[in-house]
């Protein structure tokens, strides 16, 4: 699977003077050559988006919804082709790549539904005071302006969908910048959008190198930035444009808590298998993959061997093989970083219970315990197939351990007690609490984002639509109410 890919400039294909190669992290195979836009082409895309913003905002809802419906149909028709492409450029096992296409279908379907019903406002009586007699207030939501969407490599199609679909749904022009390691999935999304009747300039997909992004970020014609990626990059964006509206979905070191009431063999088998699967899916390259297991002392000794066995049962290998659970990381450098963090932890006293070996860009699923407090793995996001297990005494200590992190994206709590579930929801400083399962569950329509250093704002189709728009009040005077 090799090809040459142009980028999409204001809805049409274009090529630049330079290009770069995309390779498969599993075997180094050439996947495609991608063209890089020139400065003049970037300016053309921004100018076109800015010029069309009023026209696009006024586009009837049925037109925008029909375009989104078209993308849904075409994603379904091309599911296997696109899944194979995601697997090739990302190294993601094909079974997870197929799931990603399915999720992108849902994102565009939700956006089409929301585009048809999105009102974002209400009517309000103003005659509650004498000065408001004969007046009625109406609120509606309108786009803030052009969106700059910056997507990461780990879900190259679905997280691009989370930028693009809500923007189209509300009539906000969007310039999508995919990750340099995985641009082709976004360019295929551009192919599907080019088949619609959306106005020229309402969307572009620009394969801009990271070192040329500051000028785009600073451009005043792009008042909204939606970024998914690392904390340092996200916060550098926020600090550089304090007057822009920024949504940042950043990192995490998600915890799975197993409490004492979750104690039967069936319970612990379920928890261990879910933890093993979702500490290693996408090779651990997910912001909500399980990195920390916090287990009550009453179940710890039975749970740990089950986790180790389930982790060792994960099939590591060729991502194109349907039986593979864990593929390579996005690059050998990424795998080397994970390797160095594990070696640091073991050198500091952590016990290695499984894994701990690297082969090129692939890192074996790894389990650690007795992690030193000062280990990098204890407080940073590993973004690799590594988890640590910690013993605690009771619910309060478990919740305190979750909150000891500077991150707060999501947490999973294995418990059967509904009162405990509500206490967890109140106590845990995270964007989402998943009861009876790992923190890695995400439905694409739910509000998704974090607390503390996991970012600001929320993704999820309807919530992104709110984020891309603002309320505008209309007061009608002289009415006989």
């Amino acid at each position: 699977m090799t090809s040459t890919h142009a980028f999409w400039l204001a809805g049409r294909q274009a090529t630049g003077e330079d290009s770069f190669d995309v390779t498969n992290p599993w075997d180094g195979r050439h996947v495609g050559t991608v063209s890089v836009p020139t400065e003049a082409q970037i300016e053309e895309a921004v100018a076109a988006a800015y010029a069309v913003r009023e026209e696009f905002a006024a586009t009837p809802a049925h037109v925008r919804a029909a375009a989104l419906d078209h993308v849904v149909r075409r994603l379904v028709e091309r599911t296997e082709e696109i899944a194979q492409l995601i697997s090739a450029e990302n190294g993601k096992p094909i079974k997870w790549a197929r799931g990603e296409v399915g999720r992108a279908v849902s994102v565009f379907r939700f956006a089409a539904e929301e585009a048809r019903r999105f009102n974002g406002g209400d009517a309000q009586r103003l005659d509650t005071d004498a000065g408001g007699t004969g007046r009625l207030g109406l609120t509606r939501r309108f786009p803030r302006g052009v969106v700059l969407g910056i997507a990461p490599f780990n879900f190259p199609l679905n997280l691009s969908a989370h930028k693009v679909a809500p923007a189209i749904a509300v009539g906000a022009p969007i310039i999508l910048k995919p990750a340099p390691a995985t641009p082709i999935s976004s360019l295929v999304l551009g192919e599907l959008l080019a088949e619609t009747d959306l106005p020229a300039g309402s969307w572009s997909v620009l394969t801009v190198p990271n070192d040329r992004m500051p000028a785009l970020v600073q451009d005043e014609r792009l008042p909204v930035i939606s970024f998914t990626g690392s904390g340092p990059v996200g916060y550098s964006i926020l600090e550089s444009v304090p007057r822009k509206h920024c949504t940042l979905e950043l990192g995490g070191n998600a915890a799975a808590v197993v409490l004492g009431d979750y104690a039967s063999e069936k319970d612990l088998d379920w928890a261990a298998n879910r933890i093993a699967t979702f500490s290693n899916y996408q090779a651990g390259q997910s912001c909500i993959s399980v990195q920390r297991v916090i287990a009550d002392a009453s179940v710890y000794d039975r749970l740990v061997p089950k986790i180790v066995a389930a982790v060792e049962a994960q099939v590591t290998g060729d991502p194109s093989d349907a039986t593979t659970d864990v593929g390579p990381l996005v690059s050998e450098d990424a795998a080397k970083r994970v390797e160095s963090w594990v070696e640091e932890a073991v050198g500091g006293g952590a016990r290695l219970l499984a894994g701990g070996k690297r082969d090129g860009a692939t890192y074996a699923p790894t389990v650690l315990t007795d992690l030193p407090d000062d280990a990098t793995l204890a407080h940073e996001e590993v973004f690799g197939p590594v988890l640590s297990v910690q013993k605690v005494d009771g619910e309060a200590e478990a919740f305190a351990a979750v909150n000891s992190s500077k991150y707060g994206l999501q947490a999973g709590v294995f418990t059967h007690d509904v009162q405990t579930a509500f206490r967890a929801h109140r106590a845990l400083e995270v964007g989402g609490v998943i009861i009876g399962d790992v923190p890695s569950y995400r439905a694409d329509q739910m509000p998704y984002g974090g607390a503390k250093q996991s970012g600001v704002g929320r993704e999820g189709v309807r919530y992104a639509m709110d984020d891309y728009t603002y309320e505008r009040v209309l007061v009608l005077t002289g009415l006989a109410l």
Side-chain angles (χ1 to χ4, degrees):
M1 182 189 298
T2 61
S3 54
T4 301
H5 296 269
F7 52 85
W8 293 92
L9 195 165
R12 72 178 194 279
Q13 283 192 317
T15 57
E17 298 168 356
D18 297 322
S19 63
F20 62 93
D21 292 329
V22 177
T23 58
N24 188 321
W26 168 250
D27 56 14
R29 175 168 47 91
H30 183 263
V31 178
T33 299
V34 176
S35 189
V36 177
T38 65
E39 295 297 336
Q41 289 168 326
I42 295 171
E43 168 57 28
E44 182 181 347
V46 174
Y50 187 74
V52 81
R53 69 194 189 284
E54 293 181 4
E55 174 190 345
F56 194 34
T59 302
H62 71 87
V63 173
R64 288 179 270 118
L68 295 162
D69 282 334
H70 174 82
V71 175
V72 170
R73 289 191 297 271
R74 297 291 283 137
L75 284 172
V76 170
E77 292 168 359
R78 297 178 62 178
T79 289
E80 185 60 23
E81 170 201 348
I82 296 172
Q84 294 285 349
L85 176 58
I86 292 171
S87 181
E89 69 172 344
N90 175 279
K92 180 175 300 194
I94 187 63
K95 67 179 182 180
W96 295 114
R98 289 170 180 146
E100 179 173 349
V101 180
R103 288 183 60 187
V105 169
S106 294
V107 170
F108 278 93
R109 176 169 56 83
F110 294 142
E113 294 167 354
E114 292 291 352
R116 290 184 170 93
R117 62 175 169 247
F118 185 69
N119 184 25
D122 57 18
Q124 187 175 44
R125 295 192 68 125
L126 301 178
D127 61 356
T128 51
D129 290 314
T133 300
R135 297 178 188 267
L136 178 71
L138 297 175
T139 61
R140 295 162 62 196
R141 298 191 74 89
F142 294 88
R144 296 177 184 273
V146 183
V147 178
L148 174 60
I150 306 172
F153 71 81
N154 56 333
F155 290 87
L157 178 68
N158 194 44
L159 292 182
S160 293
H162 270 287
K163 310 298 181 191
V164 172
I168 293 173
V170 299
I174 182 165
I175 294 175
L176 177 67
K177 188 270 186 196
T182 56
I184 304 177
S185 301
S186 295
L187 296 177
V188 171
L189 181 57
E191 288 182 21
L192 307 186
L193 290 169
E195 297 168 354
T196 71
D197 294 325
L198 294 174
S202 59
W203 62 273
S204 294
V205 183
L206 300 183
T207 47
V208 180
N210 289 340
D211 60 3
R212 288 170 56 192
M213 282 303 294
L216 263 179
V217 168
Q218 294 286 338
D219 197 307
E220 294 183 358
R221 294 168 294 180
L222 310 176
V224 180
I225 297 176
S226 178
F227 171 86
T228 301
S230 73
V233 175
Y235 282 116
S236 71
I237 289 173
L238 187 65
E239 291 164 1
S240 71
V241 286
R243 292 178 178 82
K244 289 196 177 190
H245 185 85
C246 294
T247 298
L248 306 178
E249 197 279 282
L250 307 178
N253 54 3
V257 176
V258 184
L259 293 174
D261 70 298
Y262 215 80
S264 72
E265 292 303 312
K266 182 179 178 181
D267 285 342
L268 296 180
D269 285 342
W270 163 259
N273 282 308
R274 296 295 284 178
I275 288 166
T277 298
F278 288 96
S279 64
N280 295 295
Y281 85 126
Q282 328 288 339
Q285 296 171 124
S286 167
C287 298
I288 46 177
S289 65
V290 181
Q291 183 170 334
R292 299 182 292 152
V293 179
I294 299 166
D296 189 83
S298 64
V299 299
Y300 179 90
D301 289 338
R302 288 189 296 142
L303 176 65
V304 171
K306 291 178 182 290
I307 291 175
V308 171
V311 166
E312 290 179 337
Q314 296 287 302
V315 177
T316 303
D318 185 345
S320 66
D321 188 331
T323 65
T324 296
D325 298 310
V326 186
L329 279 79
V330 72
S331 67
E332 186 169 358
D333 285 344
K336 287 179 177 177
R337 177 190 54 76
V338 173
E339 179 182 45
S340 70
W341 287 15
V342 172
E343 289 177 347
E344 177 205 46
V346 172
R351 288 197 299 135
L352 182 66
L353 303 184
K357 296 179 180 179
R358 181 181 65 83
D359 182 7
T362 300
Y363 197 79
T366 297
V367 182
L368 299 163
T369 190
D370 299 332
L371 196 65
D373 290 340
D374 61 351
T376 305
L377 280 170
H379 52 85
E380 296 295 342
E381 179 180 40
V382 64
F383 226 57
V386 178
L387 67 87
S388 63
V389 190
Q390 174 184 355
K391 183 190 297 185
V392 295
D393 187 11
E395 174 189 307
E397 189 174 329
F399 291 172
V402 174
N403 288 340
S404 67
S405 173
K406 65 183 178 181
Y407 297 109
L409 195 48
Q410 292 197 161
V413 180
F414 289 90
T415 180
H416 294 298
D417 189 331
V418 69
Q419 295 293 341
T420 299
F422 278 97
R423 286 195 297 270
H425 195 214
R426 178 178 294 278
L428 297 180
E429 298 167 351
V430 295
V433 178
I434 315 300
I435 300 298
D437 206 350
V438 290
S440 316
Y441 176 79
R442 177 183 179 183
D444 291 288
Q445 73 271 36
M446 77 184 198
Y448 177 76
K452 299 189 284 189
Q453 292 187 32
S454 286
V456 294
R458 291 294 180 268
E459 291 186 342
V461 175
R462 173 57 193 264
Y463 301 90
M465 291 169 68
D466 285 342
D467 214 41
Y468 290 169
T469 58
Y470 69 98
E471 284 187 320
R472 187 183 298 167
V473 178
L474 174 69
V475 177
L476 301 175
T477 305
L479 303 179
L481 297 176

